């Protein structure tokens, strides 16, 4: 009954246990039963009362890790002191420096084996991230002269899809060295499109995340 009387406490307990198991064993190797075994008396019914699947648990873990991201993005988008390009750089830097990125990189599943999650990621990019945050910033950059493009929507979509799908080792697996080559090529593409987005510190941080993801992939194979 505790899971029904105190749902927030129960959900937090499930998410904490699930995150620890995803880090220790990997997402693919963690079963619902593994999570139940670590919950100290909670039944499978109690878990399914709150979550329909392991995929939903991972989504909730991710949302919990990145709680406050929407507020951060809105704050940067609406900051009147920054140019459009400065806003994109700030979003990239703050996102990369978030400690939750390390945990997510170490637990993220192979999205090609989880097509529903991959489809949800793409849908979020196209219908939320691009129109609500990225396109308005690029359009501001066009006005203030910091971004040169005649295609704000298209540039926003290319930026987000390449960054979150093509450069995501949980979608397209590659060694950290190959991912770094792709990242530097991506940087060249963006510069050719009028976006000088990455500095060397950001490139090194991305390489660190690639290596964390590569360790998770190696546990699965």
């Amino acid at each position: 009954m505790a899971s029904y009387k105190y749902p927030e406490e129960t959900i937090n307990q499930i998410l904490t246990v699930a995150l620890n198991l995803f880090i220790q064993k990997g997402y693919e190797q963690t079963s619902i039963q593994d999570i139940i075994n670590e919950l100290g008396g909670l039944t499978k019914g109690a878990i399914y009362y709150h979550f329909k699947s392991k995929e939903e648990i991972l989504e909730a873990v991710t949302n919990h890790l990145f709680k406050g991201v929407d507020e951060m993005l809105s704050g940067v988008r609406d900051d009147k002191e920054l140019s459009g390009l400065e806003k994109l750089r700030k979003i990239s830097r703050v996102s990369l420096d978030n400690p939750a990125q390390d945990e997510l990189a170490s637990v993220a599943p192979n999205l090609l084996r989880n097509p529903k999650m991959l489809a949800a990621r793409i849908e979020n990019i196209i219908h939320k991230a691009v129109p609500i945050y990225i396109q308005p910033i690029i359009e501001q950059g066009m006005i203030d002269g910091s971004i040169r493009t005649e295609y704000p929507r298209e540039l926003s979509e290319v930026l987000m899809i390449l960054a979150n799908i093509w450069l995501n080792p949980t979608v397209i697996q590659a060694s950290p060295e190959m991912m770094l080559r792709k990242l530097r090529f991506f940087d060249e593409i963006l510069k050719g499109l009028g976006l000088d987005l990455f500095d060397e510190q950001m490139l090194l941080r991305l390489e660190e995340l690639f290596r964390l993801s590569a360790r998770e992939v190696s546990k699965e194979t």
Side-chain angles (χ1 to χ4, degrees), residues 117-130:
M117 294 176 64
L118 179 57
R121 174 76 61 88
I122 295 171
E123 184 176 22
N124 181 269
I125 290 170
I126 298 301
H127 297 297
K128 182 179 180 182
V130 165

Side-chain angles (χ1 to χ4, degrees), residues 19 23 58 61-63 65-66 99-109 121 170 209 212-213 216:
L19 175 60
I23 292 173
L58 179 63
V61 166
T62 303
N63 290 339
L65 286 174
F66 289 93
Q101 289 283 7
D102 293 334
E103 292 183 294
L104 185 63
S106 67
V107 305
R121 174 76 61 88
T170 68
L209 292 174
L212 283 171
S213 294
E216 174 59 23

Side-chain angles (χ1 to χ4, degrees), residues 16 62 69 182 219:
T16 299
T62 303
V69 167
K182 291 172 67 172
K219 288 194 292 186

Side-chain angles (χ1 to χ4, degrees), residues 89 92-93 96-97 180-181 183-185 187-188 191 196-211:
R89 286 174 176 164
S92 300
R93 190 173 294 108
L96 289 173
D97 288 342
L180 187 58
R181 281 182 58 85
L183 176 61
R184 294 190 180 277
F185 178 61
D187 186 37
E188 287 190 17
K191 286 176 180 174
D196 188 1
L197 190 58
F198 298 115
D199 58 29
E200 193 63 27
Q201 184 177 357
M202 292 165 66
L203 293 173
L204 290 173
R205 172 62 174 150
L206 281 162
E207 182 181 9
E208 180 183 4
L209 292 174
F210 292 155
R211 294 190 185 282

Side-chain angles (χ1 to χ4, degrees), residues 155-175:
L155 178 56
S156 302
E157 289 183 355
V158 165
L159 173 63
M160 294 299 291
I161 289 174
L162 287 180
N164 290 279
I165 305 299
W166 185 66
L167 269 176
N168 188 339
T170 68
V171 179
I172 303 174
Q173 295 182 11
S175 68

